[in-house]
Amino acid sequence: MKISARNVLKGTVVSVEKGATTSHVKIEISPGQVVTASITNAAVESLKLVAGGPAYAVIKASDVMVAVD
Amino acid sequence: MKISARNVLKGTVVSVEKGATTSHVKIEISPGQVVTASITNAAVESLKLVAGGPAYAVIKASDVMVAVD
Amino acid sequence: MKISARNVLKGTVVSVEKGATTSHVKIEISPGQVVTASITNAAVESLKLVAGGPAYAVIKASDVMVAVD
Amino acid sequence: MKISARNVLKGTVVSVEKGATTSHVKIEISPGQVVTASITNAAVESLKLVAGGPAYAVIKASDVMVAVD
Amino acid sequence: MKISARNVLKGTVVSVEKGATTSHVKIEISPGQVVTASITNAAVESLKLVAGGPAYAVIKASDVMVAVD
Amino acid sequence: MKISARNVLKGTVVSVEKGATTSHVKIEISPGQVVTASITNAAVESLKLVAGGPAYAVIKASDVMVAVD
């Protein structure tokens, strides 16, 4: 499947923290650069996400903001 | 200003493409890894974004999805 | 690629309207039920989206609201 | 109330799963086609959402992605 | 229609700026406090939005971030 | 830090409700006008958010919808 989301960042799952319905998944996309995703527990199970496994962080361009110092 | 968004990725503006009301800004956050942001033209002007300048890509954790091959 | 987004609705592209930087793509997901997506022109080109072609509307669960009469 | 969101899909609530602060609501919008919404518990209570009741899934066009095989 | 979005802020349309496919609508929700919405041109026409008219800014709680100085 | 998000509404934290992984923070942005944010517990701790403290509600323009009666 090919998706319209402009940002598909390859990395490695660092941690999966499960809550009651929502999980936080951390993906290291380059050395020292970690992206946090808040997704449903159902998605974590469906994708069989575990620390150490490969994964992509996927982000729609309209959900990215820009900041400057 | 400190923001709740869990993802603040430091990088360099690669390009700014202005449309009628919406601009696409590309930020290189590590060698070869580019993030595209779709923001208002007003924001581009307010932040004085130009290619070559430093910038952060800011993304709320609930806007990040995860994918696997 | 398998994605964490809980909503992947199969359908047919009904129309593609290109703007300066942003396109509106309409996908019929069941008879008479059309979903509108606002995505970048770059994504339209990358996915080669044209009216009549098959496509999925993909939506993260945290982006779905609920309403009642 | 009339809303700018381009996607208002009529259906029936299939299930409501409450978490600590966040609920997952499933709405069947056509036979076999179910949309999952992640909303606050407060919204579930305010809208009195229960399985079997009528409801709309509401999605802003800029939150819809497109995918192809 | 009653919506799950937790934030429904009543105000007055200050301006409507139309682009090729996307419009920017400014709504004053209290004296001096203006909210900008980026919505489709189709929505602007459907809701007949014009400067001076009453309108609500509607925002899902999961789309609100928090910042401190 | 200056952010591209067009909506930065100054206010006072009214309440912080922590869940398993997600918190709901209410910010009063003008007398009687309260905005609810759904953010990670990690963000609440990082920003040291407590009732009574000053805070901004930050919202990207593309996440704001418009409604009329």
Short mmCIF file of all heavy atoms in Angstrom, two decimals, chain A residues 3 5-7 9-10 13 25-27 29-30 33-39 47 49 54-69, chain B residues 3 5-7 9-10 13 25 27 29-30 33-39 47 49 54-69:
data_model
loop_
_atom_site.label_atom_id
_atom_site.label_comp_id
_atom_site.label_asym_id
_atom_site.label_seq_id
_atom_site.Cartn_x
_atom_site.Cartn_y
_atom_site.Cartn_z
N ILE A 3 0.81 5.41 0.43
CA ILE A 3 -0.07 6.38 1.06
C ILE A 3 0.27 7.82 0.67
O ILE A 3 1.42 8.14 0.34
CB ILE A 3 -0.04 6.19 2.60
CG1 ILE A 3 -1.25 6.86 3.24
CG2 ILE A 3 1.26 6.73 3.20
CD1 ILE A 3 -1.60 6.30 4.59
N ALA A 5 0.31 10.38 2.60
CA ALA A 5 1.06 11.09 3.65
C ALA A 5 2.49 11.31 3.16
O ALA A 5 3.16 10.36 2.75
CB ALA A 5 1.05 10.30 4.95
N ARG A 6 2.96 12.57 3.19
CA ARG A 6 4.26 12.93 2.64
C ARG A 6 5.44 12.50 3.51
O ARG A 6 6.58 12.50 3.06
CB ARG A 6 4.33 14.44 2.39
CG ARG A 6 3.43 14.97 1.28
CD ARG A 6 3.75 14.40 -0.08
NE ARG A 6 3.15 13.10 -0.31
CZ ARG A 6 3.54 12.29 -1.28
NH1 ARG A 6 4.50 12.64 -2.09
NH2 ARG A 6 2.96 11.11 -1.44
N ASN A 7 5.13 12.17 4.78
CA ASN A 7 6.21 11.87 5.71
C ASN A 7 6.15 10.43 6.20
O ASN A 7 5.26 10.07 6.97
CB ASN A 7 6.15 12.85 6.89
CG ASN A 7 6.22 14.29 6.41
OD1 ASN A 7 7.20 14.68 5.80
ND2 ASN A 7 5.16 15.06 6.65
N LEU A 9 8.84 8.04 7.86
CA LEU A 9 10.21 8.03 8.41
C LEU A 9 10.54 6.66 8.96
O LEU A 9 9.92 6.20 9.92
CB LEU A 9 10.31 9.10 9.51
CG LEU A 9 9.87 10.52 9.08
CD1 LEU A 9 9.72 11.42 10.30
CD2 LEU A 9 10.88 11.12 8.10
N LYS A 10 11.53 6.01 8.37
CA LYS A 10 11.92 4.66 8.77
C LYS A 10 12.71 4.68 10.08
O LYS A 10 13.55 5.57 10.28
CB LYS A 10 12.80 4.06 7.66
CG LYS A 10 12.93 2.56 7.75
CD LYS A 10 13.67 2.00 6.55
CE LYS A 10 13.59 0.47 6.54
NZ LYS A 10 14.00 -0.09 5.26
N VAL A 13 11.45 0.64 16.67
CA VAL A 13 10.63 0.88 17.86
C VAL A 13 11.52 0.84 19.10
O VAL A 13 12.28 -0.09 19.31
CB VAL A 13 9.52 -0.19 17.98
CG1 VAL A 13 8.72 0.02 19.27
CG2 VAL A 13 8.60 -0.16 16.76
N VAL A 25 3.93 4.96 21.39
CA VAL A 25 5.00 4.19 20.75
C VAL A 25 6.13 5.15 20.38
O VAL A 25 5.88 6.18 19.73
CB VAL A 25 4.47 3.49 19.48
CG1 VAL A 25 5.58 2.70 18.80
CG2 VAL A 25 3.30 2.58 19.83
N LYS A 26 7.36 4.83 20.81
CA LYS A 26 8.50 5.68 20.47
C LYS A 26 9.32 4.98 19.39
O LYS A 26 9.63 3.80 19.49
CB LYS A 26 9.37 5.95 21.71
CG LYS A 26 8.71 6.90 22.70
CD LYS A 26 9.62 7.21 23.88
CE LYS A 26 8.89 7.96 24.97
NZ LYS A 26 8.41 9.30 24.58
N ILE A 27 9.63 5.74 18.33
CA ILE A 27 10.39 5.21 17.19
C ILE A 27 11.63 6.07 16.99
O ILE A 27 11.52 7.30 16.86
CB ILE A 27 9.54 5.22 15.90
CG1 ILE A 27 8.28 4.35 16.09
CG2 ILE A 27 10.33 4.74 14.69
CD1 ILE A 27 7.30 4.43 14.93
N ILE A 29 14.23 7.46 14.64
CA ILE A 29 14.29 7.59 13.18
C ILE A 29 15.70 7.93 12.68
O ILE A 29 15.98 7.85 11.50
CB ILE A 29 13.27 8.62 12.66
CG1 ILE A 29 13.47 9.97 13.36
CG2 ILE A 29 11.84 8.13 12.88
CD1 ILE A 29 12.72 11.11 12.72
N SER A 30 16.55 8.36 13.60
CA SER A 30 17.98 8.53 13.31
C SER A 30 18.65 8.58 14.67
O SER A 30 17.97 8.78 15.69
CB SER A 30 18.24 9.79 12.46
OG SER A 30 17.94 10.95 13.19
N GLN A 33 17.31 10.75 17.56
CA GLN A 33 16.09 11.44 17.17
C GLN A 33 14.90 10.48 17.28
O GLN A 33 14.77 9.55 16.48
CB GLN A 33 16.23 11.95 15.73
CG GLN A 33 15.63 13.33 15.54
CD GLN A 33 16.08 13.97 14.25
OE1 GLN A 33 16.60 13.31 13.38
NE2 GLN A 33 15.87 15.26 14.11
N VAL A 34 14.08 10.72 18.30
CA VAL A 34 12.97 9.81 18.59
C VAL A 34 11.63 10.50 18.35
O VAL A 34 11.45 11.64 18.76
CB VAL A 34 13.06 9.31 20.05
CG1 VAL A 34 11.85 8.49 20.43
CG2 VAL A 34 14.33 8.48 20.25
N VAL A 35 10.72 9.80 17.68
CA VAL A 35 9.39 10.33 17.43
C VAL A 35 8.39 9.54 18.27
O VAL A 35 8.46 8.31 18.34
CB VAL A 35 9.04 10.20 15.93
CG1 VAL A 35 7.56 10.44 15.69
CG2 VAL A 35 9.87 11.17 15.11
N THR A 36 7.46 10.26 18.95
CA THR A 36 6.43 9.60 19.76
C THR A 36 5.11 9.59 19.01
O THR A 36 4.68 10.62 18.50
CB THR A 36 6.23 10.36 21.09
OG1 THR A 36 7.47 10.38 21.80
CG2 THR A 36 5.18 9.66 21.95
N ALA A 37 4.48 8.42 18.94
CA ALA A 37 3.16 8.28 18.30
C ALA A 37 2.15 7.85 19.34
O ALA A 37 2.42 6.97 20.16
CB ALA A 37 3.24 7.23 17.19
N SER A 38 0.98 8.47 19.32
CA SER A 38 -0.11 8.09 20.22
C SER A 38 -1.15 7.39 19.36
O SER A 38 -1.83 8.02 18.56
CB SER A 38 -0.67 9.37 20.86
OG SER A 38 -1.80 9.08 21.64
N ILE A 39 -1.25 6.07 19.50
CA ILE A 39 -2.16 5.29 18.65
C ILE A 39 -3.02 4.37 19.53
O ILE A 39 -2.78 4.24 20.72
CB ILE A 39 -1.38 4.47 17.60
CG1 ILE A 39 -0.46 3.43 18.27
CG2 ILE A 39 -0.54 5.40 16.72
CD1 ILE A 39 0.28 2.53 17.27
N LEU A 47 -0.47 -4.53 14.52
CA LEU A 47 0.83 -4.39 13.85
C LEU A 47 1.93 -5.18 14.59
O LEU A 47 3.06 -5.22 14.14
CB LEU A 47 1.25 -2.92 13.76
CG LEU A 47 0.80 -2.16 12.51
CD1 LEU A 47 -0.71 -2.10 12.42
CD2 LEU A 47 1.36 -0.76 12.48
N LEU A 49 3.54 -4.52 17.32
CA LEU A 49 4.67 -3.63 17.61
C LEU A 49 5.35 -4.02 18.91
O LEU A 49 4.70 -4.18 19.95
CB LEU A 49 4.19 -2.18 17.70
CG LEU A 49 3.57 -1.61 16.42
CD1 LEU A 49 2.99 -0.23 16.69
CD2 LEU A 49 4.60 -1.55 15.31
N PRO A 54 11.43 -3.11 13.51
CA PRO A 54 11.44 -2.01 12.55
C PRO A 54 10.04 -1.41 12.42
O PRO A 54 9.04 -2.12 12.57
CB PRO A 54 11.86 -2.69 11.25
CG PRO A 54 11.39 -4.10 11.39
CD PRO A 54 11.44 -4.44 12.86
N ALA A 55 9.95 -0.11 12.14
CA ALA A 55 8.66 0.55 11.96
C ALA A 55 8.87 1.90 11.29
O ALA A 55 9.98 2.44 11.28
CB ALA A 55 7.96 0.74 13.30
N TYR A 56 7.80 2.42 10.72
CA TYR A 56 7.82 3.75 10.13
C TYR A 56 6.92 4.68 10.96
O TYR A 56 5.86 4.26 11.41
CB TYR A 56 7.25 3.73 8.71
CG TYR A 56 7.98 2.84 7.75
CD1 TYR A 56 7.63 1.50 7.59
CD2 TYR A 56 9.03 3.33 6.97
CE1 TYR A 56 8.29 0.67 6.70
CE2 TYR A 56 9.70 2.51 6.07
CZ TYR A 56 9.33 1.18 5.94
OH TYR A 56 9.99 0.36 5.05
N ALA A 57 7.36 5.92 11.12
CA ALA A 57 6.48 6.97 11.65
C ALA A 57 5.88 7.64 10.42
O ALA A 57 6.62 8.05 9.52
CB ALA A 57 7.28 7.96 12.48
N VAL A 58 4.56 7.70 10.36
CA VAL A 58 3.86 8.25 9.19
C VAL A 58 3.09 9.50 9.62
O VAL A 58 2.29 9.44 10.56
CB VAL A 58 2.90 7.20 8.60
CG1 VAL A 58 2.17 7.77 7.38
CG2 VAL A 58 3.65 5.92 8.25
N ILE A 59 3.32 10.61 8.92
CA ILE A 59 2.70 11.88 9.32
C ILE A 59 2.22 12.64 8.09
O ILE A 59 2.99 12.88 7.16
CB ILE A 59 3.69 12.78 10.08
CG1 ILE A 59 4.35 12.01 11.23
CG2 ILE A 59 3.00 14.03 10.62
CD1 ILE A 59 5.78 12.40 11.49
N LYS A 60 0.94 13.04 8.10
CA LYS A 60 0.37 13.85 7.02
C LYS A 60 0.99 15.25 7.06
O LYS A 60 1.15 15.82 8.15
CB LYS A 60 -1.15 13.93 7.23
CG LYS A 60 -1.96 14.38 6.04
CD LYS A 60 -3.46 14.29 6.36
CE LYS A 60 -4.32 14.52 5.12
NZ LYS A 60 -4.14 15.80 4.45
N ALA A 61 1.33 15.80 5.90
CA ALA A 61 1.99 17.12 5.85
C ALA A 61 1.18 18.21 6.56
O ALA A 61 1.74 19.10 7.21
CB ALA A 61 2.24 17.53 4.40
N SER A 62 -0.15 18.12 6.51
CA SER A 62 -0.96 19.17 7.14
C SER A 62 -0.96 19.05 8.66
O SER A 62 -1.52 19.91 9.34
CB SER A 62 -2.39 19.12 6.60
OG SER A 62 -2.96 17.85 6.78
N ASP A 63 -0.33 18.02 9.21
CA ASP A 63 -0.21 17.88 10.66
C ASP A 63 1.17 18.29 11.16
O ASP A 63 1.48 18.11 12.34
CB ASP A 63 -0.51 16.43 11.09
CG ASP A 63 -1.99 16.12 11.01
OD1 ASP A 63 -2.80 17.03 11.24
OD2 ASP A 63 -2.34 14.95 10.74
N VAL A 64 2.01 18.80 10.28
CA VAL A 64 3.35 19.24 10.68
C VAL A 64 3.37 20.76 10.80
O VAL A 64 2.97 21.46 9.88
CB VAL A 64 4.43 18.78 9.67
CG1 VAL A 64 5.82 19.24 10.14
CG2 VAL A 64 4.40 17.27 9.50
N MET A 65 3.81 21.25 11.95
CA MET A 65 4.00 22.68 12.14
C MET A 65 5.48 23.00 12.02
O MET A 65 6.32 22.11 12.00
CB MET A 65 3.50 23.10 13.53
CG MET A 65 1.99 23.04 13.65
SD MET A 65 1.44 23.01 15.38
CE MET A 65 1.91 21.34 15.83
N VAL A 66 5.78 24.29 11.92
CA VAL A 66 7.18 24.72 11.84
C VAL A 66 7.41 25.72 12.96
O VAL A 66 6.54 26.54 13.27
CB VAL A 66 7.48 25.37 10.47
CG1 VAL A 66 8.93 25.81 10.38
CG2 VAL A 66 7.16 24.38 9.34
N ALA A 67 8.59 25.67 13.58
CA ALA A 67 8.93 26.64 14.62
C ALA A 67 10.35 27.14 14.40
O ALA A 67 11.17 26.45 13.78
CB ALA A 67 8.80 26.02 16.01
N VAL A 68 10.60 28.35 14.88
CA VAL A 68 11.97 28.90 14.84
C VAL A 68 12.28 29.46 16.22
O VAL A 68 11.38 29.78 17.00
CB VAL A 68 12.11 30.01 13.77
CG1 VAL A 68 11.96 29.45 12.36
CG2 VAL A 68 11.10 31.13 14.00
N ASP A 69 13.56 29.58 16.52
CA ASP A 69 13.98 30.09 17.84
C ASP A 69 13.70 31.58 17.95
O ASP A 69 13.77 32.31 16.96
CB ASP A 69 15.49 29.83 18.05
CG ASP A 69 15.74 28.40 18.48
OD1 ASP A 69 14.96 27.86 19.29
OD2 ASP A 69 16.71 27.80 17.95
N ILE B 3 6.27 23.80 24.40
CA ILE B 3 4.99 23.27 23.90
C ILE B 3 4.79 21.80 24.27
O ILE B 3 5.75 21.06 24.47
CB ILE B 3 4.90 23.48 22.37
CG1 ILE B 3 3.45 23.36 21.91
CG2 ILE B 3 5.79 22.50 21.61
CD1 ILE B 3 3.17 24.04 20.60
N ALA B 5 3.56 19.49 22.43
CA ALA B 5 3.83 18.57 21.31
C ALA B 5 5.10 17.79 21.61
O ALA B 5 6.13 18.38 21.92
CB ALA B 5 3.97 19.34 20.00
N ARG B 6 5.01 16.45 21.56
CA ARG B 6 6.13 15.60 21.96
C ARG B 6 7.24 15.56 20.91
O ARG B 6 8.34 15.09 21.21
CB ARG B 6 5.63 14.16 22.22
CG ARG B 6 4.74 13.99 23.45
CD ARG B 6 5.45 14.35 24.75
NE ARG B 6 5.47 15.78 25.01
CZ ARG B 6 6.28 16.35 25.91
NH1 ARG B 6 7.10 15.63 26.61
NH2 ARG B 6 6.25 17.65 26.09
N ASN B 7 6.96 16.00 19.69
CA ASN B 7 7.94 15.86 18.62
C ASN B 7 8.38 17.23 18.10
O ASN B 7 7.62 17.93 17.44
CB ASN B 7 7.34 15.02 17.48
CG ASN B 7 6.89 13.65 17.98
OD1 ASN B 7 7.70 12.88 18.47
ND2 ASN B 7 5.59 13.37 17.91
N LEU B 9 11.56 18.42 16.04
CA LEU B 9 12.72 17.89 15.32
C LEU B 9 13.50 19.04 14.67
O LEU B 9 12.99 19.75 13.80
CB LEU B 9 12.25 16.91 14.24
CG LEU B 9 11.35 15.76 14.75
CD1 LEU B 9 10.69 15.04 13.59
CD2 LEU B 9 12.17 14.78 15.59
N LYS B 10 14.73 19.22 15.11
CA LYS B 10 15.56 20.32 14.64
C LYS B 10 16.10 20.03 13.24
O LYS B 10 16.48 18.89 12.94
CB LYS B 10 16.74 20.51 15.60
CG LYS B 10 17.44 21.83 15.45
CD LYS B 10 18.50 22.04 16.53
CE LYS B 10 19.02 23.48 16.47
NZ LYS B 10 19.80 23.80 17.69
N VAL B 13 15.68 24.41 6.74
CA VAL B 13 14.68 24.56 5.68
C VAL B 13 15.33 24.28 4.33
O VAL B 13 16.37 24.86 4.00
CB VAL B 13 14.07 25.98 5.68
CG1 VAL B 13 13.10 26.15 4.52
CG2 VAL B 13 13.37 26.26 7.00
N VAL B 25 6.53 23.55 3.18
CA VAL B 25 7.88 23.82 3.65
C VAL B 25 8.57 22.48 3.90
O VAL B 25 8.03 21.62 4.59
CB VAL B 25 7.84 24.64 4.97
CG1 VAL B 25 9.25 24.89 5.48
CG2 VAL B 25 7.10 25.94 4.76
N ILE B 27 11.79 20.50 5.49
CA ILE B 27 12.85 20.65 6.51
C ILE B 27 13.66 19.37 6.56
O ILE B 27 13.09 18.29 6.74
CB ILE B 27 12.23 20.95 7.89
CG1 ILE B 27 11.42 22.24 7.85
CG2 ILE B 27 13.31 21.04 8.96
CD1 ILE B 27 10.65 22.52 9.14
N ILE B 29 15.77 17.00 8.58
CA ILE B 29 15.98 16.82 10.02
C ILE B 29 17.18 15.93 10.33
O ILE B 29 17.64 15.86 11.46
CB ILE B 29 14.71 16.26 10.70
CG1 ILE B 29 14.28 14.95 10.01
CG2 ILE B 29 13.58 17.28 10.68
CD1 ILE B 29 13.23 14.18 10.78
N SER B 30 17.67 15.23 9.33
CA SER B 30 18.94 14.50 9.42
C SER B 30 19.35 14.22 7.97
O SER B 30 18.52 14.36 7.07
CB SER B 30 18.81 13.22 10.25
OG SER B 30 17.97 12.29 9.60
N GLN B 33 16.91 12.86 5.36
CA GLN B 33 15.57 12.69 5.92
C GLN B 33 14.86 14.05 5.94
O GLN B 33 15.20 14.93 6.72
CB GLN B 33 15.67 12.11 7.34
CG GLN B 33 14.61 11.08 7.63
CD GLN B 33 14.94 10.28 8.88
OE1 GLN B 33 15.79 10.65 9.66
NE2 GLN B 33 14.23 9.18 9.09
N VAL B 34 13.87 14.17 5.06
CA VAL B 34 13.19 15.46 4.89
C VAL B 34 11.74 15.34 5.32
O VAL B 34 11.05 14.37 4.98
CB VAL B 34 13.27 15.91 3.42
CG1 VAL B 34 12.45 17.17 3.19
CG2 VAL B 34 14.73 16.16 3.03
N VAL B 35 11.27 16.33 6.09
CA VAL B 35 9.88 16.37 6.53
C VAL B 35 9.18 17.50 5.80
O VAL B 35 9.72 18.60 5.69
CB VAL B 35 9.81 16.58 8.07
CG1 VAL B 35 8.41 16.92 8.51
CG2 VAL B 35 10.30 15.32 8.79
N THR B 36 7.96 17.22 5.28
CA THR B 36 7.18 18.25 4.60
C THR B 36 6.08 18.76 5.52
O THR B 36 5.34 17.97 6.10
CB THR B 36 6.52 17.68 3.33
OG1 THR B 36 7.54 17.18 2.46
CG2 THR B 36 5.72 18.74 2.59
N ALA B 37 5.98 20.08 5.63
CA ALA B 37 4.92 20.71 6.43
C ALA B 37 4.03 21.54 5.52
O ALA B 37 4.52 22.26 4.66
CB ALA B 37 5.54 21.62 7.50
N SER B 38 2.74 21.43 5.72
CA SER B 38 1.76 22.23 4.97
C SER B 38 1.22 23.27 5.93
O SER B 38 0.46 22.93 6.85
CB SER B 38 0.66 21.30 4.44
OG SER B 38 -0.35 22.05 3.82
N ILE B 39 1.62 24.52 5.77
CA ILE B 39 1.22 25.58 6.70
C ILE B 39 0.69 26.79 5.93
O ILE B 39 0.81 26.86 4.71
CB ILE B 39 2.40 26.00 7.62
CG1 ILE B 39 3.56 26.60 6.82
CG2 ILE B 39 2.91 24.79 8.42
CD1 ILE B 39 4.70 27.14 7.70
N LEU B 47 7.18 33.79 10.31
CA LEU B 47 8.40 33.15 10.80
C LEU B 47 9.60 33.46 9.89
O LEU B 47 10.72 33.03 10.20
CB LEU B 47 8.20 31.63 10.89
CG LEU B 47 7.68 31.07 12.21
CD1 LEU B 47 6.30 31.62 12.52
CD2 LEU B 47 7.63 29.55 12.19
N LEU B 49 10.46 32.30 7.02
CA LEU B 49 11.08 31.04 6.61
C LEU B 49 11.69 31.17 5.22
O LEU B 49 11.02 31.60 4.28
CB LEU B 49 10.05 29.91 6.62
CG LEU B 49 9.44 29.59 7.98
CD1 LEU B 49 8.32 28.57 7.84
CD2 LEU B 49 10.50 29.08 8.95
N PRO B 54 17.55 27.78 9.79
CA PRO B 54 17.25 26.74 10.76
C PRO B 54 15.76 26.73 11.11
O PRO B 54 15.11 27.78 11.06
CB PRO B 54 18.08 27.16 11.98
CG PRO B 54 18.18 28.64 11.87
CD PRO B 54 18.18 28.96 10.40
N ALA B 55 15.22 25.57 11.41
CA ALA B 55 13.80 25.48 11.79
C ALA B 55 13.55 24.14 12.46
O ALA B 55 14.33 23.20 12.34
CB ALA B 55 12.91 25.62 10.55
N TYR B 56 12.45 24.06 13.18
CA TYR B 56 12.01 22.82 13.80
C TYR B 56 10.72 22.35 13.12
O TYR B 56 9.86 23.17 12.80
CB TYR B 56 11.69 23.02 15.28
CG TYR B 56 12.84 23.52 16.11
CD1 TYR B 56 13.07 24.89 16.28
CD2 TYR B 56 13.69 22.63 16.76
CE1 TYR B 56 14.11 25.35 17.05
CE2 TYR B 56 14.74 23.09 17.54
CZ TYR B 56 14.95 24.46 17.68
OH TYR B 56 15.99 24.91 18.45
N ALA B 57 10.62 21.03 12.93
CA ALA B 57 9.34 20.43 12.55
C ALA B 57 8.68 20.02 13.86
O ALA B 57 9.30 19.31 14.67
CB ALA B 57 9.55 19.23 11.65
N VAL B 58 7.45 20.47 14.10
CA VAL B 58 6.76 20.21 15.37
C VAL B 58 5.51 19.39 15.09
O VAL B 58 4.68 19.78 14.26
CB VAL B 58 6.38 21.54 16.06
CG1 VAL B 58 5.66 21.28 17.37
CG2 VAL B 58 7.61 22.41 16.29
N ILE B 59 5.37 18.25 15.77
CA ILE B 59 4.24 17.35 15.49
C ILE B 59 3.68 16.81 16.80
O ILE B 59 4.39 16.25 17.62
CB ILE B 59 4.71 16.15 14.63
CG1 ILE B 59 5.47 16.63 13.40
CG2 ILE B 59 3.50 15.29 14.22
CD1 ILE B 59 6.57 15.69 12.97
N LYS B 60 2.36 16.94 16.96
CA LYS B 60 1.66 16.39 18.14
C LYS B 60 1.68 14.86 18.05
O LYS B 60 1.46 14.30 16.96
CB LYS B 60 0.23 16.91 18.11
CG LYS B 60 -0.52 16.80 19.43
CD LYS B 60 -1.89 17.49 19.31
CE LYS B 60 -2.62 17.56 20.64
NZ LYS B 60 -2.85 16.31 21.32
N ALA B 61 1.91 14.19 19.16
CA ALA B 61 2.00 12.73 19.17
C ALA B 61 0.74 12.07 18.60
O ALA B 61 0.82 11.04 17.92
CB ALA B 61 2.26 12.21 20.59
N SER B 62 -0.42 12.67 18.83
CA SER B 62 -1.66 12.05 18.34
C SER B 62 -1.82 12.19 16.83
O SER B 62 -2.75 11.63 16.25
CB SER B 62 -2.88 12.64 19.07
OG SER B 62 -2.92 14.03 18.93
N ASP B 63 -0.91 12.90 16.18
CA ASP B 63 -0.94 13.02 14.72
C ASP B 63 0.09 12.12 14.05
O ASP B 63 0.26 12.17 12.83
CB ASP B 63 -0.70 14.48 14.30
CG ASP B 63 -1.90 15.36 14.55
OD1 ASP B 63 -3.03 14.85 14.47
OD2 ASP B 63 -1.73 16.56 14.84
N VAL B 64 0.78 11.30 14.83
CA VAL B 64 1.76 10.38 14.26
C VAL B 64 1.16 8.97 14.19
O VAL B 64 0.62 8.47 15.18
CB VAL B 64 3.06 10.34 15.11
CG1 VAL B 64 4.07 9.39 14.49
CG2 VAL B 64 3.65 11.73 15.25
N MET B 65 1.22 8.37 13.01
CA MET B 65 0.80 6.98 12.83
C MET B 65 2.03 6.10 12.77
O MET B 65 3.16 6.60 12.67
CB MET B 65 0.01 6.83 11.52
CG MET B 65 -1.36 7.49 11.60
SD MET B 65 -2.07 7.79 9.95
CE MET B 65 -1.03 9.17 9.42
N VAL B 66 1.82 4.80 12.85
CA VAL B 66 2.92 3.85 12.76
C VAL B 66 2.59 2.86 11.64
O VAL B 66 1.44 2.49 11.46
CB VAL B 66 3.13 3.10 14.10
CG1 VAL B 66 4.28 2.11 14.00
CG2 VAL B 66 3.39 4.10 15.22
N ALA B 67 3.60 2.47 10.87
CA ALA B 67 3.39 1.48 9.82
C ALA B 67 4.51 0.45 9.87
O ALA B 67 5.61 0.73 10.37
CB ALA B 67 3.35 2.13 8.45
N VAL B 68 4.20 -0.75 9.40
CA VAL B 68 5.23 -1.79 9.27
C VAL B 68 5.12 -2.39 7.87
O VAL B 68 4.07 -2.31 7.21
CB VAL B 68 5.06 -2.91 10.33
CG1 VAL B 68 5.34 -2.37 11.73
CG2 VAL B 68 3.67 -3.52 10.27
N ASP B 69 6.21 -2.99 7.42
CA ASP B 69 6.21 -3.59 6.08
C ASP B 69 5.34 -4.85 6.05
O ASP B 69 5.25 -5.56 7.05
CB ASP B 69 7.64 -3.94 5.66
CG ASP B 69 8.37 -2.71 5.14
OD1 ASP B 69 7.76 -1.91 4.42
OD2 ASP B 69 9.56 -2.54 5.48
#
